[in-house]
Structure formats: C-alpha cells, structure tokens
Amino acid sequence: MNYFSSDFKLGILGGGQLGKMMLYSTRKFDIQTYVLDPSDDAPCKIACDAFTKGDLMNFETVYNFGKQVDVLTFEIENVNVDALEKLEKEGVKVFPSSNNLRVIQNKAKQKLFYLDHNLPTSQFSRFAYASEIEDAVLNGGLEFPFVWKSAQFGYDGNGVKVVRTLEDLKGLPTGECIAEELIDFKNELAVIVARNPDGDIKTYPVVEMEFHPEANQVEYVICPARIPEAIAKKAQDIALKVSKSFNHVGLLAVEMFQTKNDTILINEVAPRPHNSGHQTIEASYTSQFEQHIRAILNLPLGKTESKVGGIMLNLVGSEGYTGDAVYENIDEIMKMEGVTPHIYGKKQTRPFRKMGHVTIVNEDLNTARKVAEEVKKTIKVISK
C-alpha cells in the first residue's frame, strides 16, 4: 500500500505529547493523520490533518472515529477496547491489537500474563476491592511493605503507592488493585522492542531510569544504561521474550528491575512510544516515534543503535505553581552544548505535570549526566 502523499489515513487515539512526537514522522513522510482527543488544547491539534474532539472511553465515539481510517493506533492505554475489537472485526487494522491492550490496560491481568508465560516478575496478590487488603494484612496473608497499584487507569505515578503501615491504606481508591512485593533494586531499566506484522523485530539499547522520589515519575533516562554487558544482554533477552509472548505490532516498552543479586524482573509494559525512549529523537539513528510508525505500517524497521550517548530529562510543572505555563531560563539551557528542549504545548501547568523534556547528547555519558544536572537546576516551568 502507498502511505506517502496518498489517500491512506492513519488514526491516533489520544492527542498528547506522544502523539505530537509521532506526528514529527508522519509530517516528514507526508502521511495523512486523524487524531481523537477530549481536549480542545491537545498538543496534537496543530500538527494533524484532521482533529476530532471526543471521549476516548466512549464506545460510539471511538468506533465512529475508527471507521474513517485505514490503520488505527493509540498513544494512551485508556481507550475503549470494545470499540477497537469491533473495528478489527470489520477490517480496520488496529495496532497494537485490542487483545494486547485488554491485558496491558489492567495491571492485575498484566501480572497474570507474566505468570502464565513464565516471565520473571515480582510476587503479587490481586484484590477485587482495596478494603480486602487490610483483612489480608491482619490475617497474615500480606506483609508490609508492599506496593499498591490500581488495576485500571494508573499513569505517571498516579495509581501507585508504597504501603508501609495500615495508615497508608487510608484514602486509597476502593476498586480492583494489586499488592506487589517491594523490590530492593539496584537499577530500573527499560528496553523498547519494535515489531512489524511481518514479524521483523528490533530492540533499542537498554536504558537506565532515575525516578523522582516524591512524584514517582521518571526524572532522567540514561542511554546506554551504565551496567555490565551481561546484565544488558539479560534485559534485552527478557524484553524479546515478553514481545514474543504478546506477539504485538508496534512498540512495546518493557520496564524492569535489576535486583541486588542481578536478577531481572519485569515491572510493567506499555504498548506505545514511551518516556524511556524520548532521547532517541536526538541520540538514535531512528527515533522511537518513527519506528512505531514504521512498525504499524509494516515498513522496514529503522536502525536502533545510538549515534551518541543520550540523557533525557523530564520537564515537569514546578511545585507551588498552577496556571498558564511559563518556561523560565529556557534560553540559558539552549546555550549549553548538545541540549535540545521539546515543549509539548500544554497551556496549563500544575505540580509534576509533564510539560516537556530536554535531551542532552554527548560522546561522554558522564559529561552528559553533569550537563543534565545543570539543565535541571536552571530551567523551571512556572505560571504567570
């Protein structure tokens, strides 16, 4: 099929920053794109061919939107899966599939999938209601500390909490959830795997993620991860095994823990471009966003090696500021060598909201890491 400068239509569910960065590639290739998002201010709105405002969880809205396009993909997991399933039955290509999304959307189903496919993950218990957790603790079935995760609709550290006492259970959402063993890890790692319908498969280098202690969000992504070759190989192999089990099309970001004794455990996966791959825009031969487009359209996959060491720093709303966003000292960081800001175009800032990211590239990773620290101290997202 001819995708370039043609009548072919690609649909994207979700109009946030991930979609906007996918549109860097669709515009480069002149591929028509249609976007559905609930917000009038969606970052994608300025760069797609047709924008529809609508609820991603509404069956009719998603179904009717999907009927207009040839291939449908998403940049967020919280979409109506029943509508995707119906579209697939009617011949619309949906990548990744509704089947994959149904498993990944629910953290409990995702953990059971790892068990069923003999994939290494931490111990966990599943609860239909959060109120059952206290009973499990009191009767000795569950021990502190553990990580509570909401089964549905968690993102960016929302829907996750470390629980050390009964007091910590107060105020948690009441619905289905899991309690995971709290892993004492050395490193949080991630591998992005790309696969097209022909079954061609490529992985990006292993990255290391440093998290913000309060926000439970990725603060820095470091590529390549500063780990021994043998550990990197183990992480790549597990990511490929996960990809094979899902038999997905598109990107699959596999987040993992490297434990104190160098075991690799799967934390969770995302079936889309991911925060752990933003540095690929400047640091790799093929960005993760272009690779996702190549994969879902069954085009040859691009080269995944890095051209240079890369670090990604998330740019989030500063604490104490809510309102119209202002980027303080952005010109200062642009004076620094190898520094590129990406501003997502969200008009309103609030504490810890992802507003953009900054990539720092350097032949020497340690230098890049020092520059990243400098960037973090300099730039601030505040409000008017």
Side-chain angles (χ1 to χ4, degrees):
M1 181 180 250
N2 179 22
Y3 304 109
F4 310 96
S5 296
S6 74
D7 292 337
F8 170 82
K9 296 179 183 72
L10 172 66
I12 303 173
L13 295 172
Q17 65 264 22
L18 300 176
K20 185 185 178 192
M21 289 185 273
M22 273 191 230
L23 296 174
Y24 293 1
S25 297
T26 59
R27 288 174 75 94
K28 181 167 75 176
F29 295 145
D30 196 31
I31 294 168
Q32 270 194 75
T33 48
Y34 284 50
V35 171
L36 175 71
D37 191 86
S39 168
D40 260 335
D41 291 331
C44 274
K45 196 173 177 182
I46 59 159
C48 59
D49 293 283
F51 180 80
T52 305
K53 185 181 174 182
D55 181 357
L56 297 169
M57 292 305 290
N58 181 284
F59 178 92
E60 291 300 328
T61 304
V62 172
Y63 173 72
N64 291 329
F65 174 80
K67 289 300 285 177
Q68 325 171 70
V69 303
D70 302 292
V71 171
L72 188 59
T73 191
F74 45 85
E75 58 113 57
I76 185 170
E77 283 88 322
N78 298 341
V79 302
N80 191 299
V81 189
D82 295 334
L84 298 186
E85 198 170 31
K86 187 166 194 234
L87 288 163
E88 283 169 334
K89 285 182 181 144
E90 293 177 8
V92 177
K93 289 180 174 167
V94 179
F95 298 127
S97 69
S98 62
N99 203 10
N100 278 174
L101 185 57
R102 209 178 278 285
V103 172
I104 293 168
Q105 231 180 28
N106 182 297
K107 297 244 172 28
K109 283 184 186 163
Q110 197 182 134
K111 291 288 275 190
L112 291 167
F113 181 90
Y114 303 143
L115 290 187
D116 293 345
H117 291 83
N118 208 11
L119 296 161
T121 192
S122 58
Q123 303 283 325
F124 73 103
S125 308
R126 184 182 187 179
F127 299 97
Y129 302 99
S131 54
E132 297 171 354
I133 297 181
E134 193 168 332
D135 301 340
V137 170
L138 296 174
N139 67 30
L142 186 62
E143 287 179 13
F144 296 122
F146 57 83
V147 181
W148 165 89
K149 286 185 181 176
S150 171
Q152 297 271 114
F153 310 133
Y155 70 97
D156 282 353
N158 292 296
V160 179
K161 186 178 180 182
V162 177
V163 177
R164 300 180 192 277
T165 63
L166 283 176
E167 193 63 26
D168 292 338
L169 291 170
K170 285 185 178 154
L172 287 181
T174 53
E176 186 191 3
C177 55
I178 57 173
E180 274 182 345
E181 173 194 2
L182 180 64
I183 301 295
D184 186 18
F185 55 82
K186 260 191 223 178
N187 280 310
E188 294 205 49
L189 308 173
V191 174
I192 292 174
V193 188
R195 184 177 177 278
N196 67 18
D198 280 351
D200 300 333
I201 197 160
K202 288 196 174 185
T203 61
Y204 280 87
V206 184
V207 302
E208 173 189 344
M209 299 185 289
E210 291 183 21
F211 278 73
H212 186 284
E214 284 115 72
N216 195 23
Q217 280 179 349
V218 177
E219 199 163 27
Y220 298 103
V221 171
I222 299 164
C223 182
R226 299 163 297 184
I227 53 174
E229 189 55 48
I231 303 295
K233 172 88 173 74
K234 208 189 287 191
Q236 295 266 9
D237 288 348
I238 286 171
L240 283 166
K241 202 173 164 191
V242 177
S243 166
K244 197 172 173 187
S245 303
F246 275 111
N247 207 21
H248 69 101
V249 168
L251 294 190
L252 191 71
V254 185
E255 294 184 49
M256 295 168 268
F257 297 121
Q258 175 192 356
T259 67
K260 292 280 192 258
N261 63 2
D262 291 338
T263 304
I264 301 285
L265 297 175
I266 301 153
N267 178 18
E268 50 192 54
V269 300
R272 52 168 170 79
H274 190 252
N275 206 199
S276 64
H278 289 352
Q279 73 292 336
T280 59
I281 299 173
E282 276 79 28
S284 306
Y285 285 98
T286 312
S287 82
Q288 65 162 344
F289 301 98
E290 179 179 324
Q291 195 76 292
H292 183 73
I293 301 297
R294 284 174 176 244
I296 62 177
L297 300 183
N298 208 19
L299 294 165
L301 297 177
K303 180 172 170 165
T304 50
E305 284 82 0
S306 300
K307 293 185 268 195
V308 64
I311 291 183
M312 190 281 309
L313 161 70
N314 266 334
L315 205 49
V316 300
S318 298
E319 288 179 88
Y321 292 94
T322 300
D324 295 345
V326 175
Y327 296 84
E328 199 175 54
N329 302 329
I330 194 163
D331 49 340
E332 289 302 313
I333 68 161
M334 290 175 83
K335 289 176 191 166
M336 301 175 193
E337 215 163 281
V339 172
T340 308
H342 291 255
I343 306 299
Y344 296 155
K346 296 174 182 177
K347 304 286 177 265
Q348 297 290 309
T349 184
R350 57 177 181 267
F352 300 119
R353 186 181 195 197
K354 283 186 185 167
M355 301 299 289
H357 73 264
V358 182
T359 312
I360 298 95
V361 294
N362 198 292
E363 300 294 335
D364 179 63
L365 205 55
N366 291 329
T367 305
R369 181 67 185 76
K370 285 190 190 111
V371 174
E373 199 75 54
E374 200 53 41
V375 169
K376 179 159 179 51
K377 281 197 300 225
T378 306
I379 190 167
K380 294 277 179 284
V381 187
I382 57 171
S383 55
K384 285 178 186 167

